[in-house]
């Protein structure tokens, strides 16, 4: 049995190696520009800080490790087309010839949807979330957010929204190979609804507004996924009829 798995393990190692090397290369590229990238990342926070407040660091090593986080995060984002491409090449041997041709639409669509989710988070969720959290106690306390904490929370939110917006792309792929239908997604909706609000509560700040800013688009994306499955994989309905 292990001998049968060897070719798949070798293939997996090859795809992982290419992805890791790509991320490392992009990490060094992005590290050269970490300061303007960090300025862009903290812009939503700076806009909502009250007068007299500013971003600080509380540990001597915090600026350096923050620069590493920024470079790795943006290097990972820049590597997404290659990562999605390698993912597709890994699963392609198990697909039919017509399905293997979907590599470019899959890699492109997955990258675009991730970026849409990340930009939605950056321009909508983060400003609203931090405005609420900072203004809530600004009359009693002086806001001095730590740059390390902010960058860590920022990257978690961006990754969360980026992955959430992959739902239509994943549905398109699964429906194309016949693994998902709209009836399947409709039947799973009540469980998906609970999962969506659970994920939103874990990834967003502890306020209802920000949680709904994540849960709302995810519910809409789930509805879009049902429509995609309906038009991509209608065979099951026809067979049942």
């Amino acid at each position: 049995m292990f001998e049968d798995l060897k070719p798949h393990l070798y293939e997996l190692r090859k795809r992982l190696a290419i992805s890791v090397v790509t991320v490392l290369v992009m990490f060094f590229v992005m590290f050269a520009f970490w300061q303007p990238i960090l300025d862009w990342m903290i812009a939503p926070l700076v806009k909502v800080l009250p007068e007299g407040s500013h971003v600080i660091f509380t540990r001597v090593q915090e600026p350096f490790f923050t620069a590493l986080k920024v470079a790795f995060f943006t290097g990972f984002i820049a590597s997404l087309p290659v990562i999605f491409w390698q993912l597709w090449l890994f699963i392609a041997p198990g697909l039919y010839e017509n399905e293997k041709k979907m590599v470019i639409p899959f890699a492109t669509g997955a990258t675009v949807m991730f970026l849409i989710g990340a930009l939605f988070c950056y321009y909508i969720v983060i400003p609203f979330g931090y405005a609420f959290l900072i203004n809530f106690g600004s009359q009693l306390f002086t806001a001095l957010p730590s740059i390390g904490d902010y960058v860590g929370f920022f990257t978690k939110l961006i990754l969360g929204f980026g992955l959430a917006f992959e739902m239509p792309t994943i549905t398109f792929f699964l429906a194309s190979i016949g693994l998902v239908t709209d009836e399947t997604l409709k039947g799973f909706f009540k469980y998906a609804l609970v999962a969506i609000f659970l994920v939103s509560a874990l990834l967003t700040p502890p306020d209802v507004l920000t949680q709904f800013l994540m849960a709302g688009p995810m519910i809409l994306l789930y509805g879009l996924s049902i429509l995609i499955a309906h038009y991509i994989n209608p065979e099951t309905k026809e067979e049942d009829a």
Side-chain angles (χ1 to χ4, degrees), residues 30-42 63 66-67 70-71:
M30 295 302 176
F31 190 76
F33 305 99
W34 73 269
Q35 287 184 324
I37 295 174
L38 182 59
D39 289 338
W40 176 80
M41 291 173 67
I42 66 174
T66 297
V70 170

Side-chain angles (χ1 to χ4, degrees), residues 147-164:
I147 185 60
D149 292 341
Y150 173 78
V151 169
F153 197 68
F154 177 94
T155 55
K156 185 176 76 170
L157 276 178
I158 293 292
L159 288 174
F161 272 85
L163 292 175

Side-chain angles (χ1 to χ4, degrees), residues 128-198:
F128 273 99
Y130 272 91
F132 172 83
L133 292 175
I134 290 175
N135 293 328
F136 182 81
S138 60
Q139 296 178 348
L140 299 175
F141 311 103
T142 300
L144 296 173
S146 166
I147 185 60
D149 292 341
Y150 173 78
V151 169
F153 197 68
F154 177 94
T155 55
K156 185 176 76 170
L157 276 178
I158 293 292
L159 288 174
F161 272 85
L163 292 175
F165 274 64
E166 295 292 349
M167 200 183 303
T169 306
I170 295 173
T171 302
F172 178 85
F173 166 67
L174 294 178
S176 297
I177 62 176
L179 293 180
V180 166
T181 66
D182 58 329
E183 293 299 325
T184 304
L185 295 177
K186 288 177 183 177
F188 191 72
F189 177 74
K190 58 183 178 181
Y191 304 106
L193 197 63
V194 174
I196 285 171
F197 278 97
L198 179 61

Side-chain angles (χ1 to χ4, degrees), residues 172-229:
F172 178 85
F173 166 67
L174 294 178
S176 297
I177 62 176
L179 293 180
V180 166
T181 66
D182 58 329
E183 293 299 325
T184 304
L185 295 177
K186 288 177 183 177
F188 191 72
F189 177 74
K190 58 183 178 181
Y191 304 106
L193 197 63
V194 174
I196 285 171
F197 278 97
L198 179 61
V199 170
S200 300
L202 292 174
L203 292 180
T204 58
D207 66 276
V208 177
L209 175 61
T210 311
Q211 291 174 14
F212 272 95
L213 285 174
M214 184 174 193
M218 288 182 68
I219 294 173
L220 293 177
L221 288 170
Y222 195 89
L224 176 61
S225 299
I226 293 175
L227 291 177
I228 291 173

